[in-house]
């Protein structure tokens, strides 16, 4: 069973990287963060089947978002090694801090509140993806205007 979960995670990661190249990394990240949120919310009922489906969606969305974000970091900079290391370090630091905080939330308020807090954290991630995408779009427009002499649209 563990081997099947690992295989599913690897296949999801490969597919998200491919989708990111074809459809745009920002769209894929939004979609995968949304899938992760949906999966988390589906785990709220106390019936086993929705919980199992929710965890499958949550896991697939999370690993796909992680793969797409890692790919975006490597494309965004010529300094791939340091950037990838910084991303990976931040990923694991966030997971450690978030996991510890999540444990405290679960102990104090239970599963439903933990899921809602997790959805809030994922929403903050989506906001960050939007901000970086917007910043990159504005930067690209400025560079295009500077290189071609075309006026920057307002």
């Amino acid at each position: 069973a563990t081997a099947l979960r690992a295989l599913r995670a690897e296949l999801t990661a490969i597919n998200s990287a491919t989708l990111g190249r074809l459809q745009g990394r920002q769209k894929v990240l939004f979609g995968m963060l949304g899938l992760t949120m949906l999966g988390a919310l589906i785990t709220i009922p106390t019936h086993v089947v929705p919980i199992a489906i929710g965890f499958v969606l949550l896991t697939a969305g999370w690993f796909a978002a992680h793969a797409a974000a890692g790919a975006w970091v490597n494309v965004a900079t010529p300094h791939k090694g340091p950037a990838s290391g910084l991303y990976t370090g931040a990923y694991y630091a966030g997971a450690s801090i978030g996991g510890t905080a999540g444990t405290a939330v679960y102990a104090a308020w239970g599963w439903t509140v933990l899921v809602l807090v997790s959805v809030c954290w994922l929403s903050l991630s989506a906001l960050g993806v939007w901000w970086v995408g917007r910043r990159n779009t504005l930067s690209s427009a400025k560079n295009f205007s500077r290189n071609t002499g075309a006026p920057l649209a307002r």
Side-chain angles (χ1 to χ4, degrees), residues 59-135:
T59 303
W62 180 257
F63 279 108
H66 175 48
W72 197 353
V73 166
N74 282 325
V75 167
T77 181
H79 309 290
K80 294 182 184 345
S84 180
L86 182 62
Y87 170 78
T88 302
Y91 173 83
Y92 284 108
S96 298
I97 294 165
T100 302
T103 301
V105 168
Y106 178 71
W109 296 289
W111 183 254
T112 301
V113 173
L114 175 61
V115 168
L116 296 175
V117 168
S118 297
V119 167
C120 288
W121 287 337
L122 291 164
S123 297
L124 285 174
S125 297
L127 182 64
V129 168
W130 170 81
W131 182 75
V132 168
R134 184 176 184 281
R135 193 182 73 174

Side-chain angles (χ1 to χ4, degrees), residues 11-21 28 32 63-68:
L11 290 174
T12 301
I14 291 167
N15 289 338
S16 71
T18 303
L19 276 174
R21 277 194 309 277
V28 171
M32 294 305 103
F63 279 108
H66 175 48

Side-chain angles (χ1 to χ4, degrees), residues 39 42-57:
I42 290 174
T43 66
I44 290 176
T46 57
H47 304 289
V48 173
V49 173
I51 290 171
I53 292 169
F55 275 118
V56 168
L57 295 176

